Amino acid sequence: MTRPSGRLQALQNDILEDIARGEPLIACMERLCHRAEAISPGVICSVVAIDNQCCLQPLASPSLPPHYVGAIKGVPAGPEVGSCGTAIFRGEPVEVTDIATDPLWRAYTDLALPLGLRACWSTPIKARDGRVVGAFAFYFRAARRPRTLERRIVATCVHLCAIAIEHDEVRTRNHRLAYFDTLTGLPNRSQFNSAIAEMSAAGRRYGLMLIDIDHLKTVNDTLGHAAGDALIAVVGRRLDVALAGCLTCRIGGDEFAVLVPDCREPARMRAFASAAMAAVAVPFDHDGHSLVPGITIGGVIAGEDGQDTVTLRQNADLALYHAKETRRGRYVRFRRQLRSAMMHRIRTRRDVAGALGDDRIIPYYQPVIRLDTNEVVGLEALARMRLDDGRIIAAGEFQDALRDPKIAHRTTTQMLTAVAADMAEWRASGLNFQHVAVNVTSADFQKGDLVQRATRTLEKAGVPLQQLVIEVTEQVFMGGRKDGVARTMEALRANGSPVALDDFGTGFASLTHLLDFPIDIIKIDRSFVGSIDSGARSEIIIEALLTMTRRLGMKIVAEGIEKQAQAERLSEMGCGLGQGYLYSPPVPASIIREWLQRFTQPTQATAPTRGLVANAA
């Protein structure tokens, strides 16, 4: 017959082998209890762990009835919570030799005594870093203390429990790192890949939504990455709750993927997308700043929008990309024509990137005219692209490429450089002009270096910054943080460069922009000018704008003048400046040079001219 010490050594070896083989923690603990009970007949073993709230979570109690185990599950450890709860709370062994009379068991005698349990010795299980991670208990059917052999069994079992629990913690942590996102706690890209492959292999009908957080970069740039991380975490939690029944994963950066099971109808996808957007768009506070999250969603339905996972994900990407460019903050489902539109965008961006590398993005100029004298008082520089075959195309034909912030930023830089060189040449030739206006994009404000670039470029060319007007559209206001755009505009004006609001009255038109942003010049959109001779409403709006801008100390330019009658009516109403095809289409620098020679006063004329830089309406 094997001696107890040999059986204890065998128990240790077997449990360590189970742990090394990766046996589940509960299976290891149940085997340990059975083996310990076999070495010391009459003893009942129990192993409990604790969760993050320090509540008891039974791991193994094979000789105790289920109702007993269930009764202690979730009970908080504390100073009078039986033997195990108290041992965990104190971090030291607790020997209760008589359950019936010991105050530690006062609340649990009705649970233990009917089972014949009369004594319980519990020892805390500690990890290598000193944390208490659970407790190992010996129950006895008589009121007594443990014997020497039983103490040796307990010491060995506690040591094995600590190894097993720590090993399971490492395994769980590695599993979470491999399959769950650490910031949001959501399943990660690996788990998403497995899930979508499994759904597709099973031939299931499902929906896929790809979700991007709107303006995360702006939050990171203005409030810091801690705020950006908080935004990602909040969006992740809200999506997980709002999309119950779906698998919501964070697959990287600001992008989430959602698998919608049993999705056959587009209406089901739209309903989930609407629920997601509504749940996310609730303000939350971070470090004293109120943030209002927003998301954009692209979606596909398996079977209708693609059969294999590669095609489905590509099509969902196309839908999301299209949504971000055309319907930010909304849901867009894939349509087949999106693929050709995307290919067009890709080709356009490649073409513009090549043109920028070859200095083939050039300015054409349209004169700004004093309406009562037809004198040229300024110019607007408009981007054109020279193709490899020499043809010139307008910006409208490569507008898609300018949605890319890097390309837009490079385009502005190349335009500023070319315009500054032309202005320097005209000044050297003694040609008189008040200003040249250059359009900028949201990317120029987001980058934060617009003032430095403009100043540096014009200084290098020897041109005063006062002769450069920066034109922005209302979409630029909406494309960045309001205070950041306003600060850049104030800095431009402080350095002498006026700021013009282009296409006023379109898009996100709002009179509040005239209060919120420092603007010197308003350019009336061509849609109002085009109907001035056919409807009273346009006249009323233009008259109101003229009155308002005078009182606010701003100047006004009418765009899109194509008929003499329009110019005459605008002049009668008090609008002094305009531009349009009546006078000239946008033309290259060589032709505009002739305009400046013919229709401007020479530089020696010191009398102020009615224009944008001169102080007149």
Side-chain angles (χ1 to χ4, degrees):
M1 181 176 178
T2 306
R3 300 180 60 182
S5 58
R7 296 172 70 187
L8 191 58
Q9 183 64 52
L11 178 154
Q12 178 172 289
N13 292 342
D14 289 348
I15 299 302
L16 288 174
E17 186 177 338
D18 286 348
I19 294 170
R21 280 203 310 265
E23 292 290 331
L25 176 62
I26 291 177
C28 288
M29 294 297 93
E30 287 188 347
R31 187 178 186 191
L32 180 145
C33 288
H34 281 304
R35 296 287 294 275
E37 290 171 354
I39 297 173
S40 182
V43 167
I44 296 174
C45 294
S46 174
V47 183
V48 296
I50 54 171
D51 58 23
N52 293 333
Q53 286 71 47
C54 204
C55 294
L56 305 185
Q57 299 297 335
L59 289 179
S61 305
S63 299
L64 291 173
H67 78 271
Y68 183 92
V69 176
I72 66 172
K73 181 178 176 63
V75 173
E80 294 183 355
V81 184
S83 299
C84 290
T86 307
I88 290 170
F89 179 78
R90 293 178 181 176
E92 59 186 32
V94 170
E95 291 187 20
V96 173
T97 57
D98 189 349
I99 288 175
T101 60
D102 196 298
L104 300 183
W105 278 84
R106 185 180 296 114
Y108 305 98
T109 53
D110 291 344
L111 185 64
L113 295 178
L115 299 176
L117 304 178
R118 294 293 182 266
C120 180
W121 183 32
S122 182
T123 303
I125 302 167
K126 295 184 178 181
R128 282 173 294 180
D129 59 7
R131 290 179 300 115
V132 175
V133 294
F136 178 83
F138 261 15
Y139 289 89
F140 306 96
R141 296 190 182 280
R144 68 175 180 84
R145 295 181 180 278
R147 302 184 181 96
T148 301
L149 173 61
E150 291 162 344
R151 292 183 184 277
R152 288 176 56 198
I153 296 172
V154 167
T156 299
C157 289
V158 167
H159 178 63
L160 292 172
C161 288
I163 294 173
I165 291 173
E166 278 200 276
H167 185 269
D168 187 69
E169 285 181 341
V170 171
R171 184 165 55 187
T172 300
R173 185 163 55 248
N174 289 341
H175 181 268
R176 289 202 64 82
L177 289 173
Y179 293 102
F180 290 86
D181 173 55
T182 55
L183 179 59
T184 63
L186 294 174
N188 63 9
R189 181 182 289 272
S190 294
Q191 195 166 163
F192 167 74
N193 289 342
S194 299
I196 193 172
E198 182 180 328
M199 282 186 170
S200 294
R204 295 173 60 186
R205 290 293 296 271
Y206 61 90
L208 167 61
M209 292 191 293
L210 294 184
I211 301 174
D212 259 13
I213 299 175
D214 296 334
H215 309 305
L216 175 65
K217 183 179 185 303
T218 302
V219 173
N220 283 332
D221 291 345
T222 56
L223 299 180
H225 285 272
D229 286 348
L231 177 60
I232 293 170
V234 166
V235 170
R237 287 196 299 271
R238 292 177 178 178
L239 288 175
D240 196 33
V241 173
L243 302 175
C246 303
L247 178 66
T248 301
C249 308
R250 182 187 177 206
I251 58 176
D254 62 348
E255 191 171 6
F256 297 82
V258 179
L259 290 171
V260 183
D262 303 318
C263 184
R264 299 174 181 273
E265 299 296 331
R268 179 171 166 82
M269 284 281 284
R270 285 197 301 272
F272 274 115
S274 297
M277 289 186 289
V280 165
V282 177
F284 75 96
D285 182 79
H286 174 77
D287 198 22
H289 297 278
S290 181
L291 300 177
V292 183
I295 55 175
T296 302
I297 306 176
V300 293
I301 296 177
E304 293 186 25
D305 302 321
Q307 300 295 332
D308 61 279
T309 59
V310 173
T311 302
L312 281 169
R313 292 172 71 169
Q314 286 177 346
N315 291 345
D317 264 325
L318 289 174
L320 175 60
Y321 188 88
H322 183 75
K324 288 195 294 186
E325 291 205 336
T326 62
R327 301 183 69 190
R328 183 172 287 276
R330 304 287 295 276
Y331 163 69
V332 169
R333 186 187 164 194
F334 172 76
R335 303 187 307 275
R336 296 195 182 280
Q337 51 266 47
L338 292 183
R339 184 172 295 278
S340 57
M342 176 61 70
M343 296 309 297
H344 172 73
R345 290 192 191 101
I346 292 172
R347 286 193 300 270
T348 302
R349 290 184 182 184
R350 183 185 61 229
D351 292 344
V352 174
L356 286 166
D358 298 337
D359 290 330
R360 289 187 285 107
I361 298 297
I362 58 175
Y364 267 42
Y365 297 93
Q366 187 173 45
V368 177
I369 304 296
R370 179 172 164 173
L371 298 181
D372 59 349
T373 65
N374 284 349
E375 177 190 353
V376 175
V377 297
L379 306 163
E380 179 179 1
L382 299 160
R384 296 292 185 264
M385 182 166 69
R386 183 187 296 114
L387 302 181
D388 291 332
D389 60 8
R391 289 184 298 119
I392 303 295
I393 62 172
E397 296 187 45
F398 57 89
Q399 191 67 36
D400 280 344
L402 301 181
R403 298 182 192 275
D404 184 312
K406 291 182 179 179
I407 289 179
H409 187 270
R410 290 178 63 194
T411 298
T412 299
T413 298
Q414 198 158 114
M415 284 289 291
L416 284 170
T417 301
V419 168
D422 288 338
M423 293 169 74
E425 194 273 328
W426 297 332
R427 285 169 56 84
S429 300
L431 299 177
N432 185 30
F433 61 95
Q434 288 191 25
H435 76 278
V436 177
V438 175
N439 293 275
V440 297
T441 67
S442 298
D444 296 302
F445 286 91
Q446 291 166 2
K447 187 77 172 179
D449 64 346
L450 178 59
V451 179
Q452 295 87 338
R453 275 189 295 153
T455 303
R456 185 169 58 246
T457 302
L458 267 70
E459 283 181 350
K460 185 176 179 180
V463 177
L465 195 63
Q466 290 83 351
Q467 288 192 280
L468 177 71
V469 173
I470 295 296
E471 286 197 8
V472 297
T473 64
E474 291 165 86
Q475 282 80 1
V476 170
F477 295 159
M478 306 300 289
R481 282 181 58 86
K482 174 180 167 180
D483 53 351
V485 173
R487 279 197 301 270
T488 299
M489 293 167 70
E490 286 283 18
L492 285 165
R493 298 173 80 230
N495 282 273
S497 178
V499 176
L501 174 58
D502 197 12
D503 299 333
F504 185 78
T506 62
F508 299 98
S510 173
L511 294 176
T512 59
H513 290 149
L514 306 185
L515 302 175
D516 294 337
F517 296 96
I519 298 166
D520 301 287
I521 304 155
I522 289 181
K523 303 189 77 173
I524 304 174
D525 185 66
R526 64 184 65 248
S527 61
F528 295 107
V529 174
S531 58
I532 195 173
D533 53 359
S534 60
R537 289 190 175 186
S538 291
E539 287 197 12
I540 292 170
I541 292 172
I542 292 173
E543 285 177 342
L545 286 173
L546 287 166
T547 301
M548 182 175 58
T549 52
R550 280 195 206 97
R551 298 192 66 174
L552 290 173
M554 301 174 184
K555 300 190 176 76
I556 197 162
V557 178
E559 295 185 292
I561 302 174
E562 297 183 356
K563 301 175 184 178
Q564 185 61 38
Q566 293 169 348
E568 291 172 357
R569 183 66 188 117
L570 286 164
S571 185
E572 291 170 4
M573 294 167 66
C575 180
L577 302 171
Q579 64 184 93
Y581 276 61
L582 174 64
Y583 304 103
S584 172
V587 294
S590 58
I591 295 178
I592 213 68
R593 194 181 201 283
E594 299 176 12
W595 267 85
L596 294 177
Q597 290 172 331
R598 293 170 55 197
F599 297 107
T600 62
Q601 297 176 347
T603 54
Q604 55 266 34
T606 57
T609 323
R610 287 182 68 195
L612 296 183
V613 178
N615 220 4

